[in-house]
Each structure stands twice: as structure tokens, then as C-alpha cells.
Amino acid sequence: MTLPDLPNQVTVPAKLDPNAAKRKALIQLISKYINPGSGSSIQFLKQRTWQLPMITLQQIIPNSPFVIVGGVATRLYMPERMTLDIDILINTQDAQQVYQNLLNANASKISNLSIPGSQWQLEDGTSLDVIEEDSEWAQNAIKSPNYAPDGSPVIQLSYLVLMKFLAGRSQDIADISRMLGSAQEVELDPVKAVITTYLPQALEDLESLIILGKLEYS
């Protein structure tokens, strides 16, 4: 099978996008070996589940806006993969209030993260990573969530893709491709707009990942 041409890749200065070289190498590797239609069934790829722990975060953190990010957030946009922790994104200015709410709910702080934020263990044993961010994109993401079937605020697809580009892990790149592979054009437009605004040097990689993701649904 002949695969569609991927967008021409351009060299981006490392200081502007430190994950660019790793991301491009991964995309090239995937495009070399991808076999459309050989993976999961279409029925599975269209499956969406939502199984959060019994504790409702809105009850623990009632006074500060947040959105769920990370692996749990992907459940709204692709088939669920196993993840044992919950990640949330909060405004830096709300951090102290959030942490006090967690202490009031008998949560225990485990450690600080390598990025601004900290890891907690909730009363039921659930691991919670709290990510602090005060950038413009984070403020917009927190103010405009999507909502899960149980009412939990989840980061929009466009900002989730941005976060995963910024994180730059292999799993994040794979998540981007799978989420965008099932997205409709009306859902892709906001993603492209957010990347254009906040990480324009990743636009060509975004287009490549959309193509690769769509091939999985062939």
C-alpha cells in the first residue's frame, strides 16, 4: 500500500522547540513501518469509556477551577488506556487553596514534580498530580473545559494536544496521533488554531500525526 505523502519537515532551532528532533524521528519511524488496518478494530477505536475513582474531585477542590489532563483526559477522545493516576491542571495563583482543600480532604503530599506542581495521594489511595501553570494557554484551557459523563471538567482536545507536544514523550506523541485519527474536521480546526498560536513550529508534525492517525482507521 502506498501511504500519502507526509508534510515536508523543516528544521526548527532546538531552543524554540526542544522536543522537535525527537518528535520528527518518531514520526518518520512510524511512517516507515505503519500498516493501515492492521491494528485495533474500528469498533474498538470508536469506543469511549469513563471510569474515574469514586471520589469526586469537585467535592475535594470546590473553590478553584481546574481541568483533568494527562492519560485520564484522553478517555474522552480515544479508547481508554490503563493509567493509575489522575493529573489536573490549575492556575498557579490557586495552588495554595487547592493544596489546603486536599489537606482538608485527608490527602497526603508525596513529593514535588519536576515541573511546577506536586504529587498527592487521596484518601482512597488514588494518586493525583497537580500541575501549576500561569501561561495564557493554560488560563484559556481551564476556563473552557469539556465535561465527562460524570460532570468532571476535562481539558479540551486542542489544549490536551498542546500539552502533549510540550511534554514530548513517545507515549504523548502516540496519544496525539490516535486522538486526532478519530477526530472530525470540525474538531481538528480548533487544534490547528491552538498549535498555530502557541507552538507554530509543531504545525507540520501535527499534520503528519493527523495523517498517521487517520491511517489507523483505514
Side-chain angles (χ1 to χ4, degrees):
M1 172 179 282
T2 301
L3 300 181
D5 293 333
L6 298 179
N8 293 327
Q9 301 295 312
V10 298
T11 300
V12 179
K15 65 180 181 179
L16 296 180
D17 188 359
N19 297 316
K22 180 171 63 176
R23 186 172 65 240
K24 292 179 187 302
L26 180 61
I27 290 172
Q28 291 173 1
L29 181 63
I30 295 172
S31 63
K32 181 178 179 180
Y33 291 104
I34 191 170
N35 184 10
S38 64
S40 303
S41 68
I42 297 299
Q43 181 179 7
F44 172 79
L45 292 173
K46 292 182 177 180
Q47 177 179 295
R48 301 292 180 268
T49 58
W50 188 264
Q51 298 175 1
L52 275 174
M54 294 301 294
I55 288 183
T56 302
L57 290 176
Q58 293 99 309
Q59 296 175 354
I60 297 177
I61 311 172
N63 303 316
S64 303
F66 69 89
V67 287
I68 295 173
V69 298
V72 171
T74 66
R75 296 172 180 175
L76 278 192
Y77 310 113
M78 71 178 198
E80 182 174 349
R81 61 178 173 82
M82 178 60 70
T83 181
L84 300 178
D85 64 335
I86 302 175
D87 303 330
I88 64 171
L89 176 69
I90 65 169
N91 293 311
T92 301
Q93 64 187 27
D94 293 332
Q96 292 307 311
Q97 180 63 60
V98 169
Y99 296 148
Q100 186 58 56
N101 287 336
L102 288 170
L103 291 172
N104 293 342
N106 298 318
S108 302
K109 182 178 178 180
I110 304 302
S111 64
N112 291 324
L113 301 176
S114 59
I115 57 177
S118 54
Q119 182 183 33
W120 295 71
Q121 185 176 55
L122 303 184
E123 189 175 26
D124 70 345
T126 299
S127 178
L128 174 69
D129 285 356
V130 181
I131 301 170
E132 304 171 24
E133 180 62 61
D134 60 2
S135 61
E136 179 184 90
W137 70 261
Q139 309 306 309
N140 292 336
I142 294 169
K143 289 188 297 186
S144 56
N146 285 328
Y147 290 93
D150 65 356
S152 298
V154 180
I155 192 169
Q156 283 190 28
L157 176 61
S158 54
Y159 292 108
L160 181 57
V161 169
L162 175 62
M163 286 191 74
K164 287 185 171 293
F165 267 128
L166 294 174
R169 301 173 305 172
S170 298
Q171 183 60 60
D172 292 312
I173 301 305
D175 286 346
I176 292 172
S177 182
R178 174 161 278 192
M179 289 189 296
L180 298 184
S182 65
Q184 303 299 313
E185 196 62 36
V186 68
E187 298 171 299
L188 292 175
D189 288 342
V191 176
K192 295 175 183 179
V194 165
I195 299 302
T196 298
T197 301
Y198 297 109
L199 196 66
Q201 56 268 32
L203 268 174
E204 292 187 2
D205 291 340
L206 176 70
E207 295 290 351
S208 296
L209 290 170
I210 291 173
I211 293 172
L212 293 172
K214 299 277 182 205
L215 287 173
E216 189 174 11
Y217 289 78
S218 300

